Amino acid sequence: MTEDNITRLEVGGKQFILIGTAHVSKRSAEQVKEVVERERPDSVCIELDAQRYDSVMQDKKWKETDIFKIIKDKKASLLLMNLAISSFQNRLADQFGIKPGSEMIQGIHSAQETGAELVLADRNIQVTFSRIWGNIGLMGKVQLISSVFFSIFSKESISEEELEKMKQQDTLNAVMDDFTKAFPRIKKPLIDERDQYLAQKIKEAPGDKVVAVLGAAHIPGITREIHEEQDLKALNEVPKKSKWPKIIGWAIPAIILSIIAYTFYANPAAGLDQTVSWILWNGTLAAIGAAVAFGHPLAILTAFVAAPISSLNPLVAAGWFSGLTQAFIRRPNVGDFDTLSKDVFTVKGFWDNKVTRVLLVIVLTNLGSSLGTFIGGADVLRLFFENL
């Protein structure tokens, strides 16, 4: 039965009370507190994964994030996505005086106050993004990256109508809403699979009475899926990467090196010209990328030195080295992470903040190195054919 955004179910002898919350509504947090205190459940499930829970509950820890670890773990793109979501949330907060996710925080506090077991019921956000990434193809990936980047700098106000619509979504769904319309295939990993995952985690929660705090948009799907057994292992699988990018990634440097080696054998002077061309195109364009990001002179020099070598090894990227150098010399501090979500509102702030400066050095160095690989490789071929 349904009563004031509350859906009650009985499955397998257990009672489930689903609270359909609005992530941008002040009333939702109050309702969560009222329901948990009245029902005294054995468990409280919330629509967060461990990573987002840590972000909510350990704000200071996030501000002290080790930028070196982000680079080494190859999580720069995830940080960029988090910045987009944070920017979106801050626009809501600035325009409407609302802090998204307050009902989840209330669910956590209410579970602690009543002695209920807290269950983090949502799927890991990285798994969700990986499954989205594997569903959209090359052009979709380009569009997704572009939409995320431009959403960071968006100055558009959110209308009252859009706000009402967002009250039926979670923040992740709201950020991806336009993209979901352009690419219907991502609805499955973003919404349908999460409905299945949430339903199974709620069903497996300890005790005979369970309260679940969920975005209202998930209630219909969970109400349907909770009667079925869901395979959490399958839902948590990250799609296997295609072998072709790896094959191509190793084939190009192998061909370049073979051509240069043969040219050296046939005409040492031409082989030397090829080597110099490869180094200059790769190194110069990578260094220009780091310079456009206003990287430290040593980071720019590192980009120049690393690019010709890293372009011949798909396992490493010039941007990692220039980014690490930038982070070592201009290490971001707590204040940089503290002001990060506000700094990304403007292009100047994006370039000035030490955290985003490191990200820019990585991305633009890699972009320059990629261009250098194509242009330098073409010049190597030109010299080869001229000296046959």
Side-chain angles (χ1 to χ4, degrees), residues 225-295:
E225 299 291 353
I226 201 167
H227 296 283
E228 307 293 334
E229 282 298 314
Q230 310 297 336
D231 188 345
L232 293 182
K233 185 179 178 182
L235 290 170
N236 262 322
E237 284 181 358
V238 175
K240 291 182 180 179
K241 295 181 180 178
S242 171
K243 293 180 180 179
W244 282 109
K246 188 179 289 186
I247 292 171
I248 294 170
W250 282 109
I252 291 175
I255 292 169
I256 295 293
L257 286 173
S258 299
I259 290 173
I260 292 175
Y262 179 82
T263 307
F264 258 114
Y265 172 77
N267 186 341
L272 181 61
D273 288 341
Q274 285 177 326
T275 304
V276 170
S277 175
W278 176 260
I279 292 172
L280 288 178
W281 277 115
N282 269 273
T284 301
L285 290 176
I288 289 173
V292 169
F294 296 140

Side-chain angles (χ1 to χ4, degrees), residues 123 127 131 188 192-201 203-204 225-238:
R123 182 169 64 184
V127 173
R131 292 175 75 92
K188 184 171 184 255
D192 299 342
E193 288 182 357
R194 285 174 63 216
D195 285 347
Q196 295 168 355
Y197 192 94
L198 286 161
Q200 189 66 26
K201 292 289 283 188
K203 188 160 62 173
E204 294 177 356
E225 299 291 353
I226 201 167
H227 296 283
E228 307 293 334
E229 282 298 314
Q230 310 297 336
D231 188 345
L232 293 182
K233 185 179 178 182
L235 290 170
N236 262 322
E237 284 181 358
V238 175

